[in-house]
Amino acid sequence: MSGAGRYQEAVARAEAAKQSLISSAQTAKARITPARLKQDATAKVVDVAMDGMAYAAATARQRPAMVGAAGAAILLFLARRPLAALFGRLGVQNDETNPDHSETDDG
């Protein structure tokens, strides 16, 4: 092959490499746009949430008593102030002091 033929092949390879680089750069540019990053992040969060829900559902089916106990504990935790107020009022209403015993024992 002559020098001119090799030169033409080298130019063709260089042009193909240049087009490949430009195409790769455009693809990378499209992948890092804010809209695309937001879409990817949203899809990832949804996938993780769905996996977590599926795991929780499977665990609930395997151990319903444990899930019920955990749910009751969470419910009691969330309702602790109203329950404390209710029991506090019940305790005050039923608190009867014995008039036969004085608080000071002076006789």
Side-chain angles (χ1 to χ4, degrees), residues 48-106:
V48 168
M50 295 300 270
D51 288 345
M53 288 181 359
Y55 176 75
T59 302
R61 280 193 295 277
Q62 290 174 354
R63 300 181 186 102
M66 182 181 72
V67 172
I74 290 170
L75 182 64
L76 287 173
F77 177 75
L78 293 175
R80 69 188 181 276
R81 288 187 181 173
L83 289 173
L86 173 68
F87 289 127
R89 280 182 295 206
L90 291 175
V92 169
Q93 290 174 355
N94 292 331
D95 187 24
E96 297 178 11
T97 58
N98 191 346
D100 295 337
H101 299 289
S102 64
E103 289 193 24
T104 58
D105 196 18
D106 336 11

